[in-house]
């Protein structure tokens, strides 16, 4: 390796869902706060080329980066913690690795060799491990390996990690293993055996973890730590306790208290600032934990039984709420359960209504009812992507009198296609990676609620859609009080629609939630929460 980038690998054992992404993001935050440039990448063992084609119920939200990559939701955490953008290079799957290798094979690039998992797949994995580091932009790259040690599919990644220790040499390489120390209530005991077994599995693959981060519901007494250190070949001070936290945003401070960053710095011989600067982070936590008011907001969507499907929206409310010292009580409401008879009962108590992004027809009626309720009762409304499209359909039906209006996504034969397929989408047959994806500019129209919220005239926001507002109808909409507040300067595509005679009714074709971070909460979320506060106070 021709540069001095240091690599940290984070593996997981015992069970999934231990929060590797949050530990990775927290460690990165601590290193960043000491002045190191750091990025995080995630390697996922599944065979999909990317999670773009995965049902949110399978995998949670699909997070979209500036460069239009459809990625794992952990990348959202990386951005929210670090306040720096990620890219396609930050998320690689087994599918992508194999796709690259097979494409090279077809081109004859292996010169007649038998193509094998070792060395060809592992070489391709290593090339991707190093990729973000080749320009020397980062002091540290943290690589999260998805899944659990011992899974058949993660074996080639673990093997690549094993090989890398020798490529990189001492002080440039570190493995952190995240594990679980379960508490047996009946025996009143913390059990270390699952951790011993998972470290043994890593050792069998030739990888010795340097640091163990142990998830636990109870403090780890010293004798438990000693036992783990002894059986797992790690120094006592490298057994790090990770207690369950009230909020994921506490984890950087918890890890700092446990000296995770100090251990990493010592082991990698990183030289730089010794003091961390987490003032802004602490201020955020202070506001988050000491709200002076609260509001109730309803998120209407069809994937509500798995909150991870709306991860970025949920986090955006946390950021916006904290900036206003307001606790946002978010209730996830299934659009399929809303109908004209119960809409008042379901939504009547809310201070704000958000209709979520989504695909397909399921829950359409309920979403239209939710929009109608918000519009007619002057409840602050925020529609995102599909939510904006539904708001347009509702306005067309109930204000413009276009009873048949719909999106051609749900009704290809609608007489009034107020939302229709974008020109460049016609003829596309491949599903993966073919939507309008990533960052596009948007010019804001002066005096609109959105322009006031942003406080500027030009913004850039991320997209993930195939359908768009049909500009043929724009004049009719505007004459009747629903106006375009933002447009793409190059194509004229409508990016934001607002109802004028309403305290706050904004629908965006883009996804503002992908850009909200702890240090820069999104202005549209802030103004929406403020509108909810105002409504509550009026009552
Ligand atoms: N299904 C809609 C479209 O493709 C909206 C997509 C979304 O909400 N992300 O345009």
């Amino acid at each position: 390796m021709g540069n001095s980038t240091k690599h940290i690998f984070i593996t997981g054992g015992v069970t999934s869902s231990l929060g590797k992404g949050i530990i990775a993001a927290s460690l990165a935050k601590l290193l960043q706060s000491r002045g190191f440039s750091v990025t995080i990448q995630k390697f996922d063992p599944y065979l999909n080329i990317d999670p773009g084609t995965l049902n949110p119920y399978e995998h949670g939200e699909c997070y979209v980066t500036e460069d239009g990559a459809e990625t794992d939701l952990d990348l959202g955490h990386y951005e929210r913690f670090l306040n720096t953008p990620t890219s396609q290079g930050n998320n690689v799957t087994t599918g992508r690795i194999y796709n690259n290798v097979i494409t090279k094979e077809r081109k004859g690039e292996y010169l007649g060799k038998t193509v094998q998992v070792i060395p060809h797949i592992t070489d391709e994995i290593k090339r991707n491990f190093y990729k973000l580091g080749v320009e020397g932009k980062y002091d540290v790259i943290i690589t999260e390996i998805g899944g659990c040690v011992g899974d058949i599919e993660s074996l080639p990644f673990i093997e690549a990690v094993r090989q890398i220790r020798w490529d990189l040499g001492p002080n440039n390489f570190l493995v952190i293993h995240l594990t679980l120390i379960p508490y047996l209530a009946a025996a009143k005991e913390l059990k270390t055996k699952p951790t011993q077994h998972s470290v043994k599995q890593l050792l069998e693959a030739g990888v010795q973890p340097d640091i163990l981060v142990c998830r636990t519901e109870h403090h780890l007494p010293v004798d438990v730590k000693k036992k783990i250190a002894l059986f797992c070949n790690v120094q006592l001070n490298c057994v790090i306790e990770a207690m369950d936290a009230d909020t994921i945003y506490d984890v950087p401070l918890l890890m700092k208290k446990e000296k995770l960053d100090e251990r990493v710095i010592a082991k990698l011989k990183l030289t730089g600032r010794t003091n961390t600067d987490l003032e802004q982070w602490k201020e955020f936590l202070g506001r988050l934990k000491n709200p002076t008011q609260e509001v109730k907001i309803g998120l209407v969507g069809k994937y509500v039984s798995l909150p991870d499907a709306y991860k970025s929206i949920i986090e955006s409310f946390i950021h916006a709420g904290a900036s206003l010292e307001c606790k946002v009580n978010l209730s996830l409401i299934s659009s399929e359960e809303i109908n004209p008879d119960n809409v008042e009962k379901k939504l009547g108590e809310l201070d704000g209504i958000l209709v979520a992004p989504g695909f397909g027809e399921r829950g359409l009626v309920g979403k239209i009812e939710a929009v109608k309720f918000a519009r007619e009762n002057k409840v602050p409304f925020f529609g995102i992507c599909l939510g904006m499209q539904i708001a347009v359909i509702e306005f067309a039906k109930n204000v413009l009198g276009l009873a048949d209006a719909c999106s051609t996504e749900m009704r290809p034969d609608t007489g009034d296609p107020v939302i229709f397929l974008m020109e460049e989408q016609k003829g596309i047959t491949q599903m993966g990676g073919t939507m309008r994806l990533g960052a596009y500019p948007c010019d804001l129209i002066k005096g609109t609620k959105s322009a006031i919220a942003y406080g500027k005239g030009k913004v850039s926001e991320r997209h993930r859609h195939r359908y768009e507002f049909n500009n043929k109808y724009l004049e009719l909409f505007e004459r009747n009080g629903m106006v375009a507040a933002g447009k793409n300067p190059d194509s004229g595509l409508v990016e934001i629609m607002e109802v004028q005679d309403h305290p706050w009714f904004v629908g965006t074709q883009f996804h503002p939630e992908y850009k909200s971070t702890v240090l820069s909460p999104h202005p549209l979320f802030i103004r929406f929460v403020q509108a909810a506060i105002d409504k509550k106070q009026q009552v």
Side-chain angles (χ1 to χ4, degrees):
M1 288 301 299
N3 65 63
S4 57
T5 303
K6 315 249 182 191
H7 284 264
I8 301 172
F9 291 88
I10 302 194
T11 58
V14 182
T15 164
S16 57
S17 306
L18 288 180
K20 283 196 297 280
I22 301 298
I23 294 294
S26 299
L27 173 60
K29 183 79 222 164
L30 293 176
L31 294 174
Q32 185 193 53
S33 73
R34 287 173 181 267
F36 298 110
S37 63
V38 41
T39 191
I40 316 173
Q41 54 188 5
K42 178 155 193 202
F43 281 65
D44 276 312
Y46 52 75
L47 287 176
N48 304 62
I49 300 274
D50 61 43
T53 51
L54 283 172
N55 185 327
Y57 275 141
E58 287 274 325
H59 199 69
E61 165 189 276
C62 172
Y63 184 78
V64 179
T65 56
E66 285 290 292
D67 62 347
E70 297 179 284
T71 70
D72 185 79
L73 57 76
D74 272 334
L75 272 79
H77 290 310
Y78 307 161
E79 291 203 10
R80 289 187 283 271
F81 275 59
L82 296 183
N83 208 29
T84 55
T86 54
S87 67
Q88 178 63 73
N90 294 73
N91 192 197
V92 177
T93 66
T94 294
R96 191 171 291 276
I97 297 286
Y98 271 79
N99 201 36
N100 293 350
V101 168
I102 290 168
T103 307
K104 279 189 205 161
E105 186 274 333
R106 291 289 83 183
K107 285 188 189 157
E109 288 183 23
Y110 293 109
L111 305 174
K113 286 270 177 217
T114 308
V115 181
Q116 297 183 294
V117 173
I118 304 171
H120 301 102
I121 293 294
T122 44
D123 280 353
E124 182 63 17
I125 292 174
K126 287 195 287 180
R127 196 180 67 78
N128 281 275
F129 279 163
Y130 293 138
K131 212 163 150 191
L132 294 176
V134 288
E135 285 169 13
K137 225 164 79 184
Y138 299 108
D139 300 317
V140 180
I141 295 180
I142 299 178
T143 304
E144 180 190 345
I145 308 285
C148 267
V149 168
D151 294 349
I152 288 178
E153 13 181 49
S154 56
L155 277 175
F157 293 106
I158 303 294
E159 166 60 15
V161 171
R162 183 192 70 79
Q163 294 176 13
I164 268 190
R165 182 184 292 270
W166 306 110
D167 293 354
L168 291 175
N171 309 327
N172 293 322
F173 169 93
L174 192 74
V175 174
I176 299 176
H177 188 57
L178 178 62
T179 164
L180 174 73
I181 311 291
Y183 180 74
L184 288 192
K188 294 199 172 53
E189 250 188 304
L190 287 158
K191 302 307 266 182
T192 65
K193 195 70 86 188
T195 295
Q196 295 177 37
H197 280 298
S198 98
V199 170
K200 223 168 239 159
Q201 254 174 332
L202 259 185
L203 288 169
E204 271 168 29
V207 175
Q208 167 67 56
D210 301 279
I211 295 175
L212 295 177
V213 175
C214 305
R215 280 296 300 275
T216 170
E217 289 170 21
H218 298 269
H219 284 295
L220 299 181
V222 153
D223 58 325
V224 170
K225 284 190 173 181
K226 275 188 182 157
K227 194 168 169 188
I228 297 170
L230 179 69
F231 279 96
C232 301
N233 276 341
V234 296
Q235 287 165 305
L236 180 57
N237 66 9
C238 290
V239 178
I240 304 280
E241 168 189 293
M243 284 278 283
D244 292 355
D246 295 339
T247 145
I248 55 170
Y249 300 111
D250 274 336
V251 179
L253 299 182
L254 289 176
M255 288 301 101
K256 186 171 163 52
K257 207 167 130 237
E258 290 295 311
K259 301 192 166 49
L260 175 62
D261 55 337
E262 284 182 34
R263 297 294 165 253
V264 165
I265 284 169
K267 287 198 169 288
L268 290 178
K269 301 225 173 348
L270 276 165
T271 44
R273 283 182 22 219
T274 47
N275 290 327
T276 45
D277 176 10
L278 289 166
E279 279 323 299
Q280 279 178 293
W281 194 270
K282 287 182 189 157
E283 276 168 31
F284 159 80
L285 278 175
R287 286 192 304 272
L288 179 68
K289 293 187 173 182
N290 300 291
T292 53
Q293 49 199 338
E294 54 185 293
V295 290
K296 210 170 162 192
I297 287 176
L299 185 160
V300 177
K302 72 171 180 182
Y303 308 113
V304 293
S305 54
L306 185 74
D308 268 3
Y310 301 112
K311 193 85 208 162
S312 293
I313 294 178
I314 293 171
E315 298 306 318
S316 299
F317 276 118
I318 293 175
H319 309 151
S323 83
L324 296 166
E325 291 181 11
C326 174
K327 180 168 179 0
V328 177
N329 298 303
L330 196 62
S331 46
L332 271 53
I333 301 165
S334 166
S335 46
E336 286 171 275
E337 284 166 19
I338 303 175
N339 58 52
D341 299 327
N342 68 8
V343 63
E344 165 80 50
K345 196 165 148 247
K346 290 239 171 223
L347 310 181
E349 304 270 272
L350 300 171
D351 305 309
I353 295 171
L354 181 144
V355 175
F359 295 83
E361 183 160 23
R362 199 154 54 80
L364 176 66
V365 174
K367 286 179 197 164
I368 294 179
E369 279 310 314
V371 174
K372 180 167 183 264
F373 183 85
R375 186 178 53 75
E376 291 182 345
N377 295 287
K378 306 249 186 272
V379 182
F381 170 82
F382 198 3
I384 298 182
C385 205
L386 180 67
M388 170 261 189
Q389 298 175 352
I390 303 281
V392 165
I393 295 169
E394 191 279 329
F395 197 86
K397 280 183 184 297
N398 298 327
V399 180
L400 305 181
L402 306 175
D404 194 38
C406 204
S407 161
T408 54
E409 178 179 9
M410 295 95 186
R411 287 255 325 275
D413 59 345
T414 170
D416 279 303
V418 287
I419 304 292
F420 69 164
L421 198 60
M422 283 184 285
E423 200 51 46
E424 60 269 30
Q425 288 289 326
K426 293 179 184 158
I428 287 179
T429 51
Q430 289 248 36
M431 293 297 279
T434 55
M435 282 188 253
R436 180 174 182 238
L437 290 165
Y440 285 91
C442 168
D443 284 0
L444 300 167
I445 285 84
K446 252 201 171 132
T448 56
K449 294 182 179 81
S450 303
I452 293 166
Y454 279 106
K456 54 185 170 185
K458 284 183 184 297
V459 294
S460 165
E461 293 283 1
R462 299 185 200 169
H463 297 71
R464 183 173 189 247
H465 65 120
R466 294 186 200 280
Y467 296 82
E468 60 162 315
F469 179 80
N470 185 344
N471 268 325
K472 207 177 83 187
Y473 290 88
L474 185 58
E475 207 220 305
L476 182 63
F477 272 81
E478 297 206 318
R479 242 189 297 130
N480 288 279
M482 190 179 208
V483 301
K487 283 186 190 172
N488 180 284
D490 309 311
S491 59
L493 284 190
V494 168
E495 297 282 13
I496 311 177
M497 287 296 272
E498 291 184 3
V499 168
Q500 287 176 309
D501 180 25
H502 193 287
W504 176 264
F505 189 108
V506 175
T508 61
Q509 185 57 78
F510 52 79
H511 293 258
E513 72 274 21
Y514 293 142
K515 285 185 77 166
S516 179
T517 71
V518 165
L519 297 188
S520 37
H522 198 285
L524 293 180
F525 276 91
I526 296 178
R527 294 301 305 173
F528 176 51
V529 174
Q530 183 61 54
I533 295 172
D534 295 345
K535 173 184 180 280
K536 190 179 173 192
Q537 281 169 357
Q538 272 167 24
V539 174

